[in-house]
Amino acid sequence: MKTIRELLKEPATRDAEPAARLRQLFDDGTIVAWLHGNPGSGKNRVLLDFEQQVAPATIVTVDCRSVEPTHSGLARELDAADGGLDTAAARLSALAERVYIVFRNYEVFRLADGWLRRDFLPELGANVRIVLSSTEKPSAGWIGAAAWHRHFAVVGLDDADPEVAAQRMLDEVDDRALRALLEDLSVVRRITRPLLAALCPETDAHAAWDALSRLPFVEQQRDGLALSSVLQRELASRLQAADPERYRELQRRAWRRFREQLKSATHADLWRSTADTIFLIKNPVIREAFFPSASAPFSVDPAVAADIDEILDIVSRHEGAGAVDLTRLWWKHLPSSFHVVRDPSATIVGFYCAARADEPGNGWMRFDPVADAWLQHLARSAGAAHPESLFLRRWLSRDAGESPSGEQAAAWVDIKRTYLEMRPSLRRVYLTLNELGPYAAVATELGFRVLDEATVPLGDARYFTAMLDFGPGSVDGWICNLVAAELGIGHDRLLDAATRELLLDGQRIALTPLEYGVLSMLEARDGEPVTRQELLEEVWAQGDAAGSNVVDAVVRGLRKKCGDHAHILETVRGVGYRLQAS
């Protein structure tokens, strides 16, 4: 006869009800099921039960933590980089008579939520069913999309106490040294062998890796190890409260490692390093833009022909007839540049208009005085070959106009997806505002600067231009620098990105656009040689056409401005230049 002691040691019987509910929903006609619950609520357990119940159907799992939230990122994940998502859709649909695609950790894929819902999922075969597993509830786009009403369902799990769940996991670890190691590693989103060595150099990295891999709450991924999110958050919170200096030092060590990864990352691996870096950010402006922490009350979709009247109505509410006419101009020539923001009832409550500066046949932009000012600035600062730039022509909310609002925040999250799609070639963003005041502090912090020469009068209003130059590292380098500033790294930087001035001996020295570009690229390479060819391509955007002598001329001018510190611009014979510490 069994004793109670023996019964207590037996594993608890799993409650398969949520998994059975998922299976029944699909049997009843659901195509997409959204499974949500906060960390520790048991989503992974439910998915495991579900996969066992639908066997032998084919299961394809996408861990969104490792996937760049763009078309190309998902195509690479689905092994269809060459053929794109159309090829991926056809391949997935042909796998079996019934195919389930499970998107785990979907909350970090929110940048791609709109086009996944609109463009990719509808192209899958009728034999495919989708599970979106997230810590958050569905976005407004799913709730308000009439086409999905009969085929979309939500399964919510009971909330769990994160602190209790985390403590239960820690109770399984008897080794105090291993507990301390887990606490140190909680500052990062994933653990790799090089990162483990960088964060905990005094630890035997090989033995520590093996010990971590055996823990039941550590997931082994193809690109590293991941702590349970509920444990990671709880341990990071405890460490930051108990030893903020230790917490900050571990973040700095991680940043240095990520910076090295970014220097050598291929385009396919770039997102992982960038996502690792973003994870260190506490600045809500950046973190929320890439990893929203809550369900979006609005959805953002490409505008269609039926939307133009409402877009024009929003413009007329807040701006004059001239702005309405320019909106019509953009719609006539480039309707694809418009995106509308909808509330949960599918009502349009805002819009934004954005396009690449080098759109084919963009001569019509000269008839828009704002866009024309931007094109002129590009020509003056970079010559005939413009650095790849994004023109954020306008955003407006129906109720708040250009003022900060939830609608605007939703638009900016969608715009960040364009940042990722255009990188690593994206160099600049231009945008226009009627009122600079509400945005001045944030814009300066992010590196935007006002272009006085691009201010345009239109009717009774004046439109100001703010421009962000990401620098030679594009979006990824910009993010890396923002994290460095937040962590207090690099206070001895030579350049003030906001004013585009050289900082030496407490003095501010004005720089020409070309001088700033050269110094910015040299500084970004952190003491490594930069060839004249690279400088021509990145700063002049002209390659060999400009001739290396123009680079030498700019460097001579910079050395003159540096005075006693001219030696920091070192010539590397047969190569180019590098920046030495002053």
Side-chain angles (χ1 to χ4, degrees):
M1 178 181 294
K2 288 184 178 179
T3 66
I4 291 178
R5 184 183 302 279
E6 290 172 323
L7 287 176
L8 292 175
K9 291 182 179 180
E10 291 182 357
T13 302
R14 288 181 174 174
D15 176 11
E17 181 184 351
R21 206 181 329 154
L22 269 179
R23 185 191 60 190
Q24 187 61 50
L25 285 169
F26 287 124
D27 290 343
D28 292 342
T30 292
I31 295 174
V32 176
W34 188 295
L35 174 68
H36 71 86
N38 67 12
S41 59
K43 293 186 297 298
N44 289 338
R45 185 191 66 200
V46 171
L47 290 175
L48 180 61
D49 287 337
F50 171 74
E51 290 173 7
Q52 292 174 345
Q53 290 183 22
V54 299
T58 295
I59 308 290
V60 176
T61 299
V62 177
D63 187 340
C64 296
R65 291 173 297 187
S66 301
V67 184
E68 179 182 284
T70 63
H71 295 74
S72 58
L74 184 57
R76 285 192 297 271
E77 175 68 13
L78 299 174
D79 296 325
D82 294 336
L85 290 178
D86 290 342
T87 299
R91 185 179 298 167
L92 289 168
S93 305
L95 286 175
E97 183 176 348
R98 173 65 78 197
V99 178
Y100 292 94
I101 306 177
V102 178
F103 288 84
R104 292 175 179 258
N105 304 294
Y106 190 69
E107 65 274 4
V108 301
F109 211 55
R110 283 296 179 84
L111 292 183
D113 183 55
W115 63 257
L116 194 81
R117 168 173 42 83
R118 292 186 313 266
D119 303 329
F120 179 60
L121 297 186
E123 295 303 314
L124 294 167
N127 61 316
V128 180
R129 299 293 180 265
I130 300 96
V131 179
L132 305 176
S133 176
S134 172
T135 58
E136 303 297 337
K137 295 179 180 179
S139 59
W142 289 102
I143 303 301
W148 287 100
H149 279 174
R150 291 187 300 109
H151 302 290
F152 178 74
V154 180
V155 175
L157 302 181
D158 293 337
D159 288 343
D161 186 323
E163 187 174 354
V164 172
Q167 188 58 52
R168 188 163 54 241
M169 295 177 194
L170 279 180
D171 288 342
E172 300 180 39
V173 182
D174 296 328
D175 189 330
R176 295 181 63 181
L178 187 54
R179 282 193 176 202
L181 179 65
L182 288 168
E183 191 171 78
D184 285 350
L185 295 174
S186 70
V187 303
V188 296
R189 77 178 190 104
R190 66 178 177 126
I191 306 160
T192 63
R193 291 180 187 271
L195 185 58
L196 175 58
L199 289 179
C200 307
E202 67 284 355
T203 301
D204 181 338
H206 181 76
W209 184 272
D210 288 344
L212 290 168
S213 301
R214 290 192 294 268
L215 293 174
F217 46 78
V218 174
E219 182 181 354
Q220 298 192 46
Q221 304 172 329
R222 67 172 183 270
D223 57 352
L225 303 176
L227 296 182
S228 161
S229 61
V230 65
L231 180 62
Q232 181 273 320
R233 294 180 191 182
E234 184 63 27
L235 287 179
S237 178
R238 293 182 188 181
L239 178 60
Q240 188 174 19
D243 193 347
E245 286 302 317
R246 172 72 175 168
Y247 182 85
R248 181 58 63 93
E249 175 56 27
L250 288 166
Q251 284 189 308
R252 292 188 182 112
R253 293 180 189 178
W255 176 87
R256 293 186 181 97
R257 178 62 201 164
F258 298 152
R259 181 185 59 172
E260 293 304 311
Q261 290 176 349
L262 285 170
K263 289 179 181 179
S264 59
T266 64
H267 183 74
D269 293 329
L270 198 56
W271 171 246
R272 292 190 183 96
S273 295
T274 299
D276 288 338
T277 308
I278 294 173
F279 189 84
L280 299 177
I281 293 179
K282 299 304 178 187
N283 182 331
V285 176
I286 298 296
R287 190 172 176 86
E288 288 295 309
F290 286 97
F291 295 127
S293 62
S295 299
F298 304 101
S299 61
V300 183
D301 299 296
V304 297
D307 298 333
I308 183 56
D309 288 340
E310 292 190 65
I311 291 172
L312 293 174
D313 179 63
I314 292 173
V315 177
S316 66
R317 282 180 177 224
H318 301 282
E319 304 184 320
V324 173
D325 290 340
L326 291 177
T327 305
R328 285 197 179 99
L329 175 72
W330 277 76
W331 182 266
K332 175 183 176 181
H333 291 280
L334 200 60
S336 61
S337 64
F338 288 84
H339 289 69
V340 292
V341 182
R342 299 180 186 274
D343 66 12
S345 68
T347 300
I348 294 177
V349 292
F351 79 94
Y352 78 85
C353 174
R356 297 173 184 240
D358 59 353
E359 285 284 345
N362 67 352
W364 60 269
M365 289 186 184
R366 297 291 184 184
F367 295 99
D368 173 3
V370 174
D372 185 45
W374 295 347
L375 290 171
Q376 289 185 45
H377 181 266
L378 274 171
R380 286 193 303 269
S381 61
H386 300 164
E388 190 156 356
S389 302
L390 178 67
F391 285 177
L392 179 53
R393 180 57 183 85
R394 206 67 181 111
W395 74 81
L396 288 173
S397 157
R398 176 175 294 279
D399 296 327
E402 71 171 24
S403 299
S405 64
E407 299 93 309
Q408 184 206 87
W412 271 104
V413 168
D414 199 61
I415 291 163
K416 295 301 186 299
R417 175 178 49 81
T418 305
Y419 282 15
L420 296 180
E421 290 172 347
M422 293 179 66
R423 82 193 211 294
S425 57
L426 178 61
R427 181 63 182 263
R428 294 181 182 177
V429 175
Y430 290 79
L431 60 85
T432 186
L433 290 162
N434 282 149
E435 297 291 338
L436 294 172
Y439 298 96
V442 170
T444 300
E445 184 178 3
L446 297 181
F448 279 93
R449 65 186 182 97
V450 176
L451 303 179
D452 292 330
E453 66 273 30
T455 300
V456 173
L458 188 63
D460 296 331
R462 283 194 305 164
Y463 287 81
F464 301 95
T465 288
M467 188 269 288
L468 169 62
D469 190 326
F470 291 114
S474 190
V475 177
D476 306 281
W478 169 68
I479 290 172
C480 195
N481 289 338
L482 289 174
V483 176
E486 187 172 302
L487 296 178
I489 299 171
H491 286 304
D492 56 347
R493 293 179 65 85
L494 287 170
L495 295 175
D496 184 329
T499 63
R500 305 176 80 77
E501 294 173 321
L502 173 63
L503 308 177
L504 279 178
D505 293 334
Q507 301 296 312
R508 289 181 171 270
I509 303 168
L511 299 173
T512 69
L514 289 176
E515 288 172 341
Y516 179 83
V518 169
L519 267 183
S520 178
M521 188 168 183
L522 292 175
E523 188 175 47
R525 292 286 281 269
D526 197 26
E528 296 178 1
V530 180
T531 68
R532 291 176 175 85
Q533 178 66 25
E534 289 175 314
L535 287 166
L536 287 170
E537 291 174 355
E538 291 290 340
V539 179
W540 278 261
Q542 291 185 16
D544 291 324
S548 63
N549 60 313
V550 299
V551 177
D552 299 334
V554 169
V555 171
R556 283 196 299 272
L558 280 169
R559 283 174 172 159
K560 185 176 180 179
K561 289 185 176 183
C562 288
D564 293 339
H565 297 279
H567 64 279
I568 67 175
L569 291 162
E570 180 186 0
T571 299
V572 181
R573 291 190 180 278
V575 180
Y577 298 96
R578 71 178 160 206
L579 195 63
Q580 296 283 39
S582 59

